[in-house]
């Protein structure tokens, strides 16, 4: 059975190519909802014009789909609430020198 924790661990593999930090620590993942074999992920991007947006969304869907017990993955990109650096993990902010 897939768990929220296993989904978060899997999508930590997806690195924002512009910043070099995984999308979980970037604070781009707002919600993971699991209903049996379906995983719904609500996420955002750093900006609506993010040039790596498609790559990030497709990667998120792909790695989640590879998890045992997952049959369907739905990724929804939302713009509210807007992403800000405050959503980043402490480790990510430290790595980028943001205090």
């Amino acid at each position: 059975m897939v768990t929220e924790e296993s989904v978060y661990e899997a999508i930590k593999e997806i690195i924002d190519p512009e910043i070099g930090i995984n999308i979980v620590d970037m604070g781009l993942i707002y919600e993971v909802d699991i209903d049996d074999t379906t995983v719904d992920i609500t996420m955002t991007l750093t900006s609506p014009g993010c040039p790596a947006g498609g790559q990030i969304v497709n990667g998120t869907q792909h790695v989640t789909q590879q998890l045992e017990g997952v049959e369907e993955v739905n990724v929804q990109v939302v713009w509210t609430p807007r992403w800000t650096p405050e959503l980043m993990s402490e480790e990510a902010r430290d790595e980028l020198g943001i205090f």
Side-chain angles (χ1 to χ4, degrees):
M1 184 174 147
V2 66
T3 65
E4 190 174 323
E5 183 179 319
S6 66
V7 172
Y8 274 99
E9 282 304 310
I11 56 182
K12 274 188 173 185
E13 293 178 23
I14 307 302
I15 306 297
D16 183 313
E18 294 182 294
I19 300 175
I21 294 176
N22 76 71
I23 64 173
V24 173
D25 287 336
M26 282 290 299
L28 299 180
I29 305 300
Y30 287 164
E31 184 178 12
V32 171
D33 185 46
I34 301 166
D35 183 12
D36 196 25
T37 61
T38 301
V39 178
D40 294 313
I41 299 171
T42 304
M43 65 178 293
T44 195
L45 299 169
T46 55
S47 71
C50 176
Q55 178 183 346
I56 292 170
V57 171
N58 290 339
T60 300
Q61 185 161 12
H62 178 75
V63 298
T64 305
Q65 188 73 54
Q66 303 306 309
L67 292 171
E68 187 174 336
V70 174
E71 291 182 15
E72 183 179 347
V73 179
N74 302 301
V75 177
Q76 179 183 13
V77 177
V78 298
W79 302 111
T80 304
R82 207 182 102 209
W83 180 86
T84 65
E86 287 79 30
L87 295 173
M88 298 171 74
S89 70
E90 187 176 330
E91 295 82 14
R93 287 194 307 265
D94 286 349
E95 191 171 322
L96 294 176
I98 299 171
F99 302 103

